[in-house]
Amino acid sequence: MSAQNPEALRRSLMDAAEQCVAVDFIMLEPEAAFMYGDIPANANSFVNRICDLENCVVRRYNPEPQVLRGLVKRWLEDLKDDKEEILQAVFLFRYPIIDSVKHICCNLYASANHITDGFPSCQACKCHGCPIDHVTTNKVKWMCPITSRQLASSDVTDTAVRIGEQTVLFLPTSEGGSNLQRVSTSISFDVIERTQLASMNEGVIMGRSFVVIPSSNDVEVALTDECSDQNTQIFYGLCETLFKLDQGLVCSSSCNIETMKIGTLQCYYLLIPSEKGPMLLRRLAGSEEILPLPDMNRDCKSKVTMKIRNSVETSLSKIALKDYNPVQHERGFHSKLNRLVKDSLQFGYLLGGYSYCYMMLSSDSRFQ
């Protein structure tokens, strides 16, 4: 806004428009000005100079840390070279939602993105800066991943860390990296806070669920019968209390239960109670893993009419309302596997080991 040569800036913006480049200007304003719509004179003059350019947009934000973090995440998404195209989906209904329409078209966006659990040390070639897949002290086997040329010891660095799959950082010492370790003992979870389950954003829940039940063994020493009984009582007392409060426990751990490896970065989890016993442990996304939500501004044209509302309610009333039972929702894995084994037997190329597998499957009524 304080550009010394506004005409030069305007010419640059017009050149950008010819190259189909969009330009976003961010106005960071105090909360009072943002709430009451007050725009400083110099800002208003700047907006007036560029308002006729179609490739320019001026956005006003309150400079709070959360808002700034959101802007950074959006810009990072825009800068991704490998950004995926929008995933489109259609939800099909058995009964018309309104008139003869039986479907809804939507766009799917990931709400969270898995990141690495640490930055492992690696060997890398100095010629291209690429990681050598297999760390070895055998100098004869050092090969450049790009040219397959044999490398001398002076061509390889041992003080590098891998960032992602192909990015490598060279460090002065090897102390910066840390290799992920496989879990060999009990996993420790630090309870850090409670959270209301009713207000929990399910978009931050990631990965598999783990059923949690009381153990008869302590983390460090075997429990006596009395201590084991006390541990069980405490578990169910905690579960019942949390369920009554409709709350869960947020925990942190250096272990990623998806990969069962211990890293240098923290993972967060949610312990969810149930009414009659077991609890569920779910991974929670951290601040670096949350992806920006798509812009969804409803205008006056998208207002739901009473006709549509009544028609949707009528359509939903025709859909069966049940508690979800996974036993009643078979994916078809076993029936498909049996059919493939039978086809392979008829073709005559099934190996002996797989014949035994087929006999085991056929003898179990669950696989018929």
Side-chain angles (χ1 to χ4, degrees), residues 270-284:
L270 177 64
L271 189 61
I272 307 173
S274 64
E275 184 178 9
K276 297 181 179 179
M279 291 196 270
L280 282 181
L281 188 68
R282 303 294 306 272
R283 253 299 299 279
L284 294 177

Side-chain angles (χ1 to χ4, degrees), residues 5 11 43 99 110 124 153 157 198 202 268 281 285 299 305 317 321 361:
N5 192 344
R11 285 195 298 271
D99 299 332
S153 58
T157 178
E202 295 189 8
Y268 295 95
L281 188 68
D299 54 24
T305 64
S317 65
L321 178 62
L361 292 174

Side-chain angles (χ1 to χ4, degrees), residues 191-197 241-242 245 247-250 270:
V191 178
I192 57 178
E193 62 189 24
R194 292 181 297 156
T195 186
Q196 295 290 343
L197 295 178
T241 304
L242 288 173
L245 296 172
Q247 296 176 353
L249 296 179
V250 178
L270 177 64

Side-chain angles (χ1 to χ4, degrees), residues 47-72:
V47 173
N48 290 335
R49 288 200 298 267
I50 65 170
C51 63
D52 60 320
L53 301 178
E54 296 182 355
N55 67 319
C56 295
V57 177
V58 178
R59 306 183 190 276
R60 304 174 62 197
Y61 292 100
N62 185 14
E64 294 181 351
Q66 185 175 359
V67 175
L68 298 179
R69 284 196 293 267
L71 284 174
V72 171

